[in-house]
Amino acid sequence: MKLKLAIIYGILSWLLIYLISLNLEPYYIDNNPYINIFIPISTIIVSIIFGILYIREFNENEVKEGFILGIIFFICDLLLDNIYVLIVGETGILNNYPLHIISMLLLFPLITTLLGYLAHMKIELN
């Protein structure tokens, strides 16, 4: 377990997801106010990228490392969301916060554990 690297990737993933959502916010608020699909899609893409970068360092226990990485990503997301609300004072993030927590709790560990499982598989192409 490389805790320092996992925390750095968790912080970077939160920052990248925030920047993507900040840049795409005018498009999905003006055009589709009831469906917020850009946040989950950006979360999936970013967690796959950082999950691959992290899991490729391991040769054994990839599934366990992937699950732990997903939990660390979730904890980083939770802490950085709360710090963001306290420092910036923007409470718009709190409108659907229980839904955000549930989706992040499902997405991060599920994606990174699946990446660990895929890294664990031996694939031979003939």
Side-chain angles (χ1 to χ4, degrees), residues 43-44 47 66-67 70-71 73-74 77 98-114:
T43 301
I44 291 168
S47 63
F67 181 74
I71 298 299
F73 277 11
F74 172 71
D77 183 72
L99 179 63
H100 174 76
I101 290 174
I102 292 170
S103 64
M104 292 302 120
L105 184 59
L106 291 174
L107 282 176
F108 282 135
L110 185 67
I111 291 170
T112 55
T113 305
L114 180 62

Side-chain angles (χ1 to χ4, degrees), residues 1-18 42-43 45-58 65 68-77 80 108 112 115:
M1 176 84 222
K2 298 181 179 181
L3 186 61
K4 186 177 180 181
L5 184 64
I7 292 172
I8 289 171
Y9 283 162
I11 291 169
L12 288 175
S13 69
W14 181 86
L15 185 63
L16 196 57
I17 292 168
Y18 173 72
S42 63
T43 301
I45 292 170
V46 169
S47 63
I48 287 173
I49 291 169
F50 286 113
I52 289 172
L53 289 175
Y54 180 79
I55 290 175
R56 72 179 181 177
E57 301 285 326
F58 297 96
E65 294 292 336
I68 293 170
L69 179 68
I71 298 299
I72 291 172
F73 277 11
F74 172 71
I75 292 169
C76 287
D77 183 72
L80 291 172
F108 282 135
T112 55
L115 285 173

Side-chain angles (χ1 to χ4, degrees), residues 86-99:
L86 289 175
I87 291 175
V88 176
E90 181 181 325
T91 58
I93 194 172
L94 299 176
N95 291 341
N96 291 325
Y97 199 62
L99 179 63

Side-chain angles (χ1 to χ4, degrees), residues 31-45:
N31 297 330
N32 211 352
Y34 300 109
I35 298 174
N36 185 356
I37 196 71
F38 292 114
I39 304 296
I41 289 175
S42 63
T43 301
I44 291 168
I45 292 170

